[in-house]
Amino acid sequence: MNQLELNQTLQSNSKNDKSLTPDEKIEELKRILHLAPSSMNMQPWQFTFVKNKSVKHKLALSSLDHAENINQADVLIVFSVVDNLDSFQLVIEKELPEGLQELYNNIKNFTSESDLKIWFSKQVYIAFSIALGTAVSLGLHPTPLEDIKPEKYTEILNMVDYKPILTLAINFETENDFFESTDKPKTRRCIEDVIINID
């Protein structure tokens, strides 16, 4: 099955995928997500994999419209962005080579804190897209969820320097997927309206 078919169906039927257990697929997803690209390799994020039913239930109560989907998920991945710039400065100094440190510091000196955090959040969405595509290719059933209460998630997950911004509910089987719709085609706007060609 090619990438277009994967995105059309949100399912994967390859023999290689079936050879892995659900837990092995999640571990593979973790490894690939760990390699997600970011500007200057900053990696201004954390990814929290939640399987604990009690914790999922608390998070579900802090999710505006998706409580049932979160409660039914086999695994909930919480994508968080760095929120403490002073703490992240230590990460930059530890992880980035000198040239990239200088580049980051120059950008930081001429960028407001709010704009820096917007930039970081965009990096998290890049990682999120990697996770979504990987989950589909592994034969998992992901559902993106943005309607969360970040301050409640931060409290429940005991986060200090990071702020949750969106989640990915992962189901191992379609019958557990609240939003799965295998009998209906994916609907999208006309391709000519969203794909613009300049030759």
Side-chain angles (χ1 to χ4, degrees):
M1 183 174 289
N2 62 35
Q3 190 63 42
L4 177 59
E5 292 170 327
L6 288 175
N7 282 284
Q8 287 174 333
T9 65
L10 286 186
Q11 296 185 59
S12 172
N13 297 309
S14 72
K15 293 180 180 179
N16 182 53
D17 292 340
K18 290 183 178 180
S19 70
L20 299 176
T21 68
D23 285 341
E24 287 172 335
K25 292 179 181 182
I26 293 298
E27 290 305 311
E28 182 74 5
L29 176 57
K30 290 177 182 178
R31 287 190 289 268
I32 293 175
L33 189 53
H34 179 243
L35 297 173
S38 61
S39 293
M40 298 189 296
N41 198 31
M42 293 184 302
Q43 306 167 70
W45 51 46
Q46 279 187 346
F47 314 120
T48 306
F49 285 69
V50 182
K51 295 177 70 175
N52 183 281
K53 290 184 178 180
S54 176
V55 175
K56 279 193 299 178
H57 181 65
K58 292 178 182 178
L59 294 174
L61 294 176
S62 298
S63 304
L64 301 180
D65 297 314
H66 302 297
E68 185 171 359
N69 192 254
I70 290 175
N71 280 320
Q72 290 184 359
D74 293 300
V75 179
L76 182 70
I77 309 174
V78 180
F79 291 76
S80 303
V81 65
V82 66
D83 196 46
N84 185 329
L85 296 186
D86 291 334
S87 174
F88 191 59
Q89 184 67 36
L90 299 178
V91 175
I92 293 295
E93 294 172 1
K94 176 183 177 182
E95 301 292 344
L96 293 189
E98 185 174 341
L100 288 181
Q101 287 185 40
E102 183 177 353
L103 177 59
Y104 170 79
N105 288 330
N106 286 337
I107 293 173
K108 181 181 177 183
N109 289 337
F110 292 96
T111 307
S112 68
E113 180 174 321
S114 60
D115 284 344
L116 275 176
K117 290 183 177 181
I118 291 172
W119 182 32
F120 294 158
S121 294
K122 290 178 179 179
Q123 307 306 304
V124 176
Y125 273 86
I126 291 173
F128 179 83
S129 68
I130 298 292
L132 181 60
T134 298
V136 172
S137 70
L138 288 170
L140 300 168
H141 304 275
T143 301
L145 308 171
E146 286 189 287
D147 294 335
I148 68 173
K149 298 179 180 178
E151 67 283 356
K152 292 293 186 180
Y153 268 58
T154 299
E155 179 182 341
I156 293 167
L157 298 174
N158 297 314
M159 290 187 168
V160 177
D161 296 326
Y162 292 81
K163 181 179 74 173
I165 56 176
L166 76 163
T167 65
L168 190 63
I170 300 289
N171 287 292
F172 299 151
E173 303 293 341
T174 56
E175 56 263 28
N176 295 329
D177 190 345
F178 182 66
F179 284 122
E180 182 66 26
S181 181
T182 57
D183 60 333
K184 296 180 181 179
K186 184 182 291 294
T187 60
R188 288 294 183 267
R189 292 169 56 195
C190 179
I191 191 169
E192 288 80 10
D193 292 336
V194 295
I195 305 297
I196 308 302
N197 298 300
I198 301 177
D199 297 323

